Amino acid sequence: MQPQAFSGPCAFLRLCLLSLAALVFAACGSTTPAATAVVQPVTEAAPLGQPSLTSPSPAQNTATAGIQEQPEATEAAQAQAWLPIPDCSAEVNPTPSTTEGPYYTPDTPERTSLIEPGVVGTKLVLTGYVLATDCTPVAGAWLDFWQADGNGQYDNTGYGLRGHQFTDEAGSYYLETVLPGLYPGRPPHIHVKVQAPDQPVLTTQLYFPGEASNQGDSFFFPELLVTMQETVEGVMATFNFVLDIR
Ligand code: FE
């Protein structure tokens, strides 16, 4: 007797079950977005002040410097992009020291922004590295800044436009402040003390290019000029301190 696989009530029931199974398989096997979504890598902006001295390359640094290419970049990230990689191919000379002047106040607050409500002046972001003479970065170096405001006025009773910070692991620093103004007999300048751990203190001043009064200033050295770039956000400047150590 031939098997009657597709005839009779049992065969009909079997066909119904097969059809139902096919429908269930088709429904459950359909592709849902959750099942096939590709997990996109999360791109994090590098923390401020952590570019190494070997990566990214100068070309990459330039390529990422444009604000247009990083619409979500924070101001700090923009400053980091602007932070040039030190050129260690040339001879690295120690940063000249120059006079402390009469307005230094010790025990300043630790902070990376000197901008407070009521501060007068054009915003300035100053970034750079602290290096040894062998061009290696100095992590944990102490930097203590003090300066006049945009009108050339010092705060000699409080800590206005005064503050210290330490370089990060890459040896870089980041300071938000204002462009100092002229005061009688001096071109615009920012005072700073820099010290590598357990090393002597370098006391010096930073100057700004294009100031006619720089050349007549008895404390001026061309090596103390910052590199500047004007942006819609304000003025960005860089300066690498080289300490006579190692
Ligand atoms: Fe001064």
Side-chain angles (χ1 to χ4, degrees):
M1 184 178 176
Q2 294 293 321
Q4 296 179 349
F6 296 102
S7 64
C10 290
F12 178 75
L13 182 60
R14 192 175 301 155
L15 277 174
C16 287
L17 289 172
L18 284 172
S19 299
L20 182 62
L23 286 171
V24 169
F25 178 81
C28 295
S30 64
T31 304
T32 62
T36 59
V38 176
V39 178
Q40 298 294 332
V42 176
T43 303
E44 288 186 0
L48 173 68
Q50 290 195 350
S52 72
L53 300 187
T54 55
S55 175
S57 67
Q60 290 171 316
N61 206 34
T62 301
T64 58
I67 296 174
Q68 296 300 324
E69 298 172 14
Q70 292 187 336
E72 298 178 0
T74 64
E75 188 174 357
Q78 292 169 28
Q80 182 180 339
W82 163 238
L83 185 61
I85 304 299
D87 179 9
C88 293
S89 62
E91 185 178 2
V92 178
N93 295 313
T95 300
S97 64
T98 191
T99 185
E100 176 181 289
Y103 299 137
Y104 178 64
T105 300
D107 304 321
T108 58
E110 180 175 355
R111 53 184 177 175
T112 56
S113 178
L114 306 182
I115 297 176
E116 298 174 289
V119 168
V120 175
T122 300
K123 184 175 180 180
L124 167 69
V125 173
L126 174 67
T127 60
Y129 294 93
V130 175
L131 306 168
T133 45
D134 62 1
C135 208
T136 56
V138 180
W142 171 77
L143 301 105
D144 198 6
F145 296 96
W146 74 103
Q147 64 169 94
D149 66 12
N151 289 335
Q153 298 294 317
Y154 282 87
D155 176 6
N156 290 316
T157 58
Y159 291 101
L161 292 173
R162 300 171 187 270
H164 75 270
Q165 60 177 280
F166 298 89
T167 53
D168 63 12
E169 292 180 356
S172 69
Y173 69 93
Y174 172 90
L175 179 71
E176 289 183 355
T177 184
V178 296
L179 280 169
L182 287 165
Y183 68 87
R186 294 299 315 279
H189 59 277
I190 294 177
H191 295 268
V192 58
K193 290 178 179 286
V194 188
Q195 182 182 33
D198 303 319
Q199 296 292 328
V201 175
L202 166 70
T203 299
T204 191
Q205 301 179 29
L206 302 182
Y207 292 78
F208 298 88
E211 295 288 343
S213 53
N214 283 340
Q215 294 300 327
D217 187 77
S218 56
F219 310 118
F220 174 76
F221 293 87
E223 296 92 333
L224 297 177
L225 287 169
V226 302
T227 301
M228 291 182 67
Q229 181 187 64
E230 292 190 20
T231 73
V232 293
E233 298 290 334
V235 181
M236 304 187 80
T238 61
F239 188 86
N240 295 331
F241 297 94
V242 181
L243 302 179
D244 192 9
I245 57 173
R246 297 207 176 107

